[in-house]
């Protein structure tokens, strides 16, 4: 039996009635390490924002396991580096879920911030203004903030984008540590080789889920080629999709890999109940 951290029930997300993620079904197990992979515009960042609650579902829902503490690291491009703050200030924001805006930091809190800075290689950077940091240094500071949050579920949106190779290696060590500690980690990534080497599970998105399961079974040439064509079919327009009558092409499944039987309809990837992998059959195409 699985121990779910997240459960997606026909989850559809989007903006202004234009769906960006269609009919996602499945379970993210506690302690899993999952890459979310797909082309630009395939719904990866939208999915993370839906999990966090920054956007509301158009249909279905995403349920978290009760008591799950969540940490969300957005893309670097969404961070205002001109804001007059120091490294210690941005890292200390990780204390807010526990202390609130006006809570007073204890000696233990200050030690947690200092330890996090050491862990990401930024000891001595406490008073550095954010606008003096390189991209890699800024990402290290944001990882330190996540460390301070001590979350059960960690969501990372393009954590390795536009940073140096050494920082990528150092941050991968931190992600591996989170995984070893039993935390649940989901990361939006665009580097196929990095996914294959470091992430045991992958959700392949092309606005609809194409495949989800063990990375070696998901990132096959056939699935990657299919996801590219399926994604291109949505690029010009992504209309609101009314349940299973939407014109998506069909991805049919059998049984859910965590013991929940479903009859999957259009846009549903499935987990193979024997192998824990997900696969997608070639669609019966209709007009998009």
């Amino acid at each position: 039996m699985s121990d779910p951290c997240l459960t997606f029930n026909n989850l559809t997300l989007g903006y202004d009635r234009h769906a960006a993620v269609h009919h996602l079904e499945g379970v993210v197990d506690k302690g899993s390490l999952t890459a979310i992979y797909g082309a630009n515009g395939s719904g990866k960042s939208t999915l993370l924002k839906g999990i966090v609650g920054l956007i509301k579902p158009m249909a279905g829902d995403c349920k978290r396991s009760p008591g799950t503490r969540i940490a969300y690291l957005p893309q670097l491009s969404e961070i205002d580096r001109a804001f007059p703050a120091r490294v210690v200030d941005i890292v200390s924001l990780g204390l807010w879920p526990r202390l609130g805006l006006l809570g007073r930091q204890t000696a233990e809190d200050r030690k947690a911030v200092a330890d996090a800075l050491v862990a990401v290689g930024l000891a001595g950077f406490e008073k550095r203004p954010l606008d003096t940091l390189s991209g890699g240094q800024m990402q290290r500071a944001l990882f330190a903030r996540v460390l301070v949050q001590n979350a059960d579920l960690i969501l990372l949106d393009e954590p390795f984008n536009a940073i140096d190779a050494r920082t990528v290696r150092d941050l991968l060590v931190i992600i591996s540590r989170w995984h070893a500690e039993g935390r649940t980690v989901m990361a939006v990534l665009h580097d196929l080789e990095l996914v294959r080497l470091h992430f045991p599970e992958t959700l392949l998105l092309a606005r609809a889920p194409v495949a989800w399961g063990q990375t070696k079974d998901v990132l096959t040439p056939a699935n990657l080629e299919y996801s590219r064509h399926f994604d291109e079919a949505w690029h010009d327009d992504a209309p609101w999709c009314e349940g299973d009558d939407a014109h998506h092409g069909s991805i049919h499944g059998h049984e859910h890999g965590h013991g929940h039987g479903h009859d999957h309809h259009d846009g549903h990837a499935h987990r193979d109940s024997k192998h824990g992998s997900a696969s997608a059959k070639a669609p019966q195409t209709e007009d998009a």
Side-chain angles (χ1 to χ4, degrees), residues 6-9 11 47 50-52 57 59-64:
L6 294 173
T7 302
F8 303 121
N9 298 304
L11 180 65
L47 175 57
I51 294 171
V52 175
D61 58 41
C62 170
K63 295 181 179 179
R64 296 185 212 164

Side-chain angles (χ1 to χ4, degrees), residues 242-254:
E242 296 287 353
D244 295 313
D245 294 326
H247 296 283
H248 299 194
S250 58
I251 305 177
H252 299 294
H254 303 291

